[in-house]
């Protein structure tokens, strides 16, 4: 039901606010935590408002009861309004456009090990909740929410790809990459079919593996207790570490969706 869904998401979010500002002596880290907390609170408020509208229209917070009520009596304006607020909240959690603005700043400000966690785990959770939410109570009114997700999906793909071009910081680059990838994942959800949900789950699995490979390289390049953060710091790596450079090339080509790599097949 909605209560468990909300509590689960908020417990996860509170943990993320803490680890993003883990380095209290670092100004960037505390700024990242504060930005994430303020915007996260806003998205939580949107979700709660959406849940209250749906509860007010149906008299229930149980997914199955809401689904059967929509099937038998049709949908009400309150349900659609609540759905819009809830989708906004979920899009924030998954860092999809137009609720992506926190992602580059929080990724850049957080410690590198935390950024690697942000790029993978919350995305899996966000997309899993998105699928559960759209599939269980609201599959019967697919035509009401499908085009919203199609718009979010296309906007995320385009903005993530275009905004990444001018980045000089690796963590900001991977933030825009994650925005773009969430667009592809949401494309599968927007179909409203089981095969679409399966393709999204496969995509997220392959996306996670690609990000683990990317951050494994970043951790490998640690020098004097510092991680590589700027793209220009990678110059000359093909001469000094040819195998690591080749591995990074494969991972980045896969993230970009170049055939015959896994990222291409996922897309």
């Amino acid at each position: 039901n909605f209560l468990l869904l909300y509590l689960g998401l908020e417990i996860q979010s509170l943990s993320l606010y803490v680890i993003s500002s883990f380095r209290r002596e670092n100004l960037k880290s505390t700024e990242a935590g504060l930005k994430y907390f303020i915007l996260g609170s806003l998205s939580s408020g949107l979700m709660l408002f959406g849940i209250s509208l749906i509860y007010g229209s149906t008299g229930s917070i149980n997914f199955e009861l809401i689904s059967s009520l929509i099937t038998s009596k049709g949908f009400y304006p309150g349900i659609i309004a609540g759905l819009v607020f809830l989708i906004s909240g979920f899009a924030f959690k998954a860092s999809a456009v137009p609720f992506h603005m926190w992602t580059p700043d929080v990724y850049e400000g957080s410690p590198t090990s935390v950024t690697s966690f942000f790029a993978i785990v919350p995305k899996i959770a966000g997309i899993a909740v998105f699928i559960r939410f759209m599939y269980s109570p609201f599959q019967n009114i697919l035509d009401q929410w499908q085009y919203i997700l199609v718009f979010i999906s296309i906007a995320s793909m385009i903005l993530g790809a275009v905004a990444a071009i001018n980045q000089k910081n690796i963590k900001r680059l991977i933030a825009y990459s994650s925005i773009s990838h969430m667009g592809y994942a949401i494309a599968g959800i927007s179909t409203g079919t089981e095969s679409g949900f399966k393709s999204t789950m496969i995509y997220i699995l392959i996306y996670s593996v690609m990000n683990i490979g990317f951050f494994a390289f970043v951790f490998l390049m640690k020098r004097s207790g510092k991680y590589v953060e700027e793209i220009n710091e990678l110059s000359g790596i093909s001469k000094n570490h040819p195998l690591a450079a080749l591995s990074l090339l494969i991972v980045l080509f896969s993230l970009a969706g170049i055939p015959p790599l896994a990222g291409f097949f996922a897309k």
Side-chain angles (χ1 to χ4, degrees), residues 51-81:
I51 291 167
S52 69
L53 285 171
I54 290 166
Y55 175 69
S57 301
T58 61
S60 176
I61 55 169
N62 186 284
F63 288 170
E64 288 175 10
L65 285 173
I66 292 168
S67 180
S68 60
L69 195 75
I70 290 169
T71 307
S72 60
K73 295 186 179 178
F75 61 89
Y76 310 100
I79 293 175
I80 302 303

Side-chain angles (χ1 to χ4, degrees), residues 186-208:
I186 291 168
I189 302 171
S190 69
T191 61
T193 62
E194 207 169 302
S195 60
F197 297 146
K198 280 179 183 173
S199 67
T200 293
M201 287 155 80
I202 292 165
Y203 190 88
I204 283 294
L205 180 69
I206 292 171
Y207 164 81
S208 302

Side-chain angles (χ1 to χ4, degrees), residues 80-154:
I80 302 303
L83 200 53
V84 170
F85 282 108
L86 275 164
I87 289 172
S88 302
F90 288 135
F92 176 91
K93 303 293 181 194
S95 65
V97 173
F99 306 97
H100 65 284
M101 65 289 285
W102 60 273
T103 316
D105 292 340
V106 171
Y107 275 41
E108 185 184 5
S110 302
T112 305
S113 52
V114 172
T115 305
S116 66
F117 184 80
F118 277 173
I120 302 165
V121 181
K123 299 290 184 287
I124 298 170
I127 290 296
V129 167
F130 223 140
I131 290 172
R132 176 82 176 111
F133 172 73
M134 301 320 295
Y135 187 68
S136 292
F138 300 113
Q139 200 181 16
N140 297 329
I141 51 169
L142 172 67
D143 55 330
Q144 298 296 319
W145 54 261
Q146 187 172 36
Y147 293 107
I148 300 173
L149 292 198
V150 168
F151 167 76
I152 289 172
S153 168
I154 294 169

